[in-house]
């Protein structure tokens, strides 16, 4: 018997061997704990949210994973799920929005397929921010540690994250939070989608930053350009990904940092951005969305952003070395660089 992230008791009669992930990103947590996660995953949905075609391909080099849906709950195919004969389905409130009472879950359980929630947050909720910015990652690691019989590996990764978080906190002790505009949909043709208070905002705070005062939404919020220009902020952080639709900076495993830097520069040429102090002072950066979306990688986000917000305190902090440490846990290494600055850093 185990308790999932929604607080539900779930009984499994045997270790799962045919898992369907309704949120494909869960495979990155599995990859921290199991040498061949794709060998256990027969189907997934929302693979696009891994935000790296290269990483998707590498995860499936030995075992192809069948799609059972796309990015939203209404795309999930019961027929495809049934055809894969799963012995476990792992979901969240985004892909089964009615929670334990969701019709898809009722259908699965009525057919003898156990269901586990790996995340109980949703686009609509606004719970208090956790004091521990890595609480979600720890909960997911412990859950998957139980599912995969890898409890000791989960605790080892948690200890690794805690040690790095303590180091960042020690460096930032006594500093004041730095105002930053953290943008979640960074494209040349749109502005200005700010990260909300949950997850992104929690991680920004752990990095020694603070969101702009008008931001009150849990996940994302549209800001008026006039507000963004008029509100002082020291650092601008864009988000980029493994696909470049809409002019997003192409940032992700194995992508060219020079191309990403060119795309980042294009973002600063949007109307009004030349009036922002962060842009005038060349404190402009971009980061791969996977470092926020995949909870076990959040510690790397915290380190990187801390170096941008507090360069004096974090001058000798080495996120590239931290990525190398993460890759010693990972079944499939994640190639850098996963971040870029408009002003190229000195070696």
């Amino acid at each position: 018997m185990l308790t999932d992230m929604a607080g539900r008791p779930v009984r499994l009669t045997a270790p799962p061997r045919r898992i369907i992930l309704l949120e494909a990103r869960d495979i990155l947590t599995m990859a921290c704990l199991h040498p061949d996660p794709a060998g256990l995953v027969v189907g997934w949905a929302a693979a696009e949210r891994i935000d790296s075609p290269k990483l998707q391909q590498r995860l499936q080099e030995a075992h192809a994973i069948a799609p059972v849906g796309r990015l939203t709950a209404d795309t999930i195919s019961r027929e495809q799920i049934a055809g894969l004969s799963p012995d476990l389905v792992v979901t969240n409130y985004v892909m089964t929005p009615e929670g334990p009472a969701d019709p898809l879950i009722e259908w699965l359980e009525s057919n003898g397929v156990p269901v586990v929630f790996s995340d109980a947050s949703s686009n609509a909720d606004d719970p208090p921010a956790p004091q521990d910015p890595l609480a979600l990652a720890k909960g997911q690691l412990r859950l998957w540690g139980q599912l995969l019989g890898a409890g000791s590996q989960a605790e080892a990764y948690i200890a690794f994250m805690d040690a790095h978080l303590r180091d960042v906190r020690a460096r930032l002790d006594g500093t004041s939070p730095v105002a930053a505009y953290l943008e979640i949909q960074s494209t040349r043709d749109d502005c200005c989608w700010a990260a909300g208070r949950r997850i992104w905002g929690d991680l920004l705070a752990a990095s020694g930053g603070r969101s702009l005062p008008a931001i009150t939404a849990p996940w994302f919020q549209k800001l008026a350009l006039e507000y963004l220009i008029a509100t002082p902020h020291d650092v601008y952080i864009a988000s980029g990904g493994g696909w470049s639709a809409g002019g997003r900076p192409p940032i992700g495993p194995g992508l060219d940092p020079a191309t990403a830097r060119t795309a980042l520069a294009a973002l600063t040429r949007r109307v009004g951005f030349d009036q922002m102090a962060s842009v005038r002072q060349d404190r402009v950066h971009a980061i791969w969305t996977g470092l926020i979306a995949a909870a076990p990688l959040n510690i790397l986000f915290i380190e990187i952003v801390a170096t941008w917000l507090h360069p004096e305190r974090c001058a000798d902090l080495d996120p590239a070395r931290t990525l190398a440490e993460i890759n010693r846990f990972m079944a499939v290494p994640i190639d850098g660089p996963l971040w870029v600055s408009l002003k190229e850093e000195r070696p």
Side-chain angles (χ1 to χ4, degrees):
M1 181 73 73
L2 59 84
T3 301
D4 70 8
M5 294 291 284
R8 302 163 60 249
V10 180
R11 183 181 298 278
L12 301 178
T13 58
R17 292 292 179 264
R18 297 185 61 81
I19 301 172
I20 288 178
L21 304 176
L22 297 189
E23 180 58 68
R25 290 181 304 206
D26 278 334
I27 199 170
L28 296 176
T29 306
M30 295 176 67
C32 295
L33 307 175
H34 192 277
D36 183 20
L40 299 177
V41 177
V42 295
W44 62 10
E48 298 94 327
R49 278 201 283 265
I50 293 176
D51 208 0
S52 169
K54 180 176 181 180
L55 189 53
Q56 286 185 47
Q57 181 180 3
R58 292 189 67 182
L59 286 162
Q60 300 181 82
E61 281 179 353
H63 309 278
I65 301 174
V68 299
R70 297 292 300 275
L71 293 169
T72 56
D74 61 328
T75 66
I76 300 296
S77 168
R78 295 188 183 191
E79 292 77 11
Q80 288 174 308
I81 290 174
L84 293 171
S85 302
D87 55 18
L88 176 67
V89 170
V90 182
T91 188
N92 59 24
Y93 272 65
V94 174
M95 300 307 281
T96 46
E98 295 183 42
D102 195 276
L104 177 60
I105 293 179
E106 293 179 347
W107 174 75
L108 287 165
E109 293 182 336
S110 70
N111 283 280
V113 180
V115 178
V116 164
F117 277 82
S118 63
D119 190 357
S121 58
S122 73
N123 288 337
D125 68 4
D126 188 14
Q131 291 185 349
D132 180 355
L134 302 177
L136 176 60
K138 291 177 182 179
Q140 290 179 338
L141 283 159
R142 288 188 170 118
L143 174 65
W144 279 106
Q146 288 183 279
L147 289 170
L148 302 177
S152 60
Q153 294 96 313
E155 294 304 324
Y157 197 91
I158 289 168
F160 156 77
M161 293 192 303
D162 280 340
H164 280 259
L165 183 60
R166 284 194 301 270
D167 180 48
V168 172
R169 284 175 167 167
R171 292 168 184 271
L172 300 183
D173 186 43
T175 63
S176 298
V178 173
Y181 169 45
L182 177 56
E183 190 172 55
I184 67 166
Q185 185 173 306
S186 304
T187 62
R188 291 192 303 265
D189 301 326
D190 198 11
C191 183
C192 307
W193 289 99
R197 295 285 177 177
R198 290 280 290 129
I199 308 298
W200 296 68
D202 295 337
L203 296 173
L204 180 64
S207 307
R210 61 179 174 85
S211 301
L212 302 183
I215 297 172
T216 58
W219 300 106
F220 53 87
Q221 185 171 332
K222 179 84 166 177
L223 299 177
L225 177 61
E226 294 77 12
Y227 172 82
L228 194 57
I229 294 171
T231 304
H233 59 278
D234 301 291
V235 178
Y236 164 47
I237 304 171
S239 59
W243 50 275
S244 56
R248 262 197 336 165
I251 302 173
L255 296 182
D256 178 19
T259 304
R261 192 173 291 110
T262 298
L264 178 58
L267 293 179
T268 67
R269 291 193 290 271
R270 287 177 291 181
V271 173
F273 271 61
D274 60 346
Q275 301 178 49
M276 299 176 192
S278 56
V279 174
R280 293 198 305 269
Q281 296 168 11
D282 282 331
R283 299 189 71 180
V284 176
H285 312 277
I287 199 162
W288 179 44
T289 58
L291 300 186
I292 303 100
L297 304 182
N298 289 169
I299 187 60
L300 184 55
F301 175 95
I302 291 171
E303 284 198 0
I304 295 162
V305 174
T307 67
W308 293 337
L309 300 179
H310 299 274
E312 300 83 6
R313 292 288 188 102
C314 300
D316 61 341
L317 198 60
D318 188 355
R321 183 174 60 194
T322 300
L323 176 58
E325 291 180 64
I326 289 171
N327 280 335
R328 284 197 283 271
F329 287 93
M330 297 291 291
V332 176
I334 300 174
D335 298 330
L338 305 175
W339 59 94
V340 68
S341 297
L342 186 57
K343 186 177 182 180
E344 190 169 0
E345 298 93 339
R346 296 178 181 176

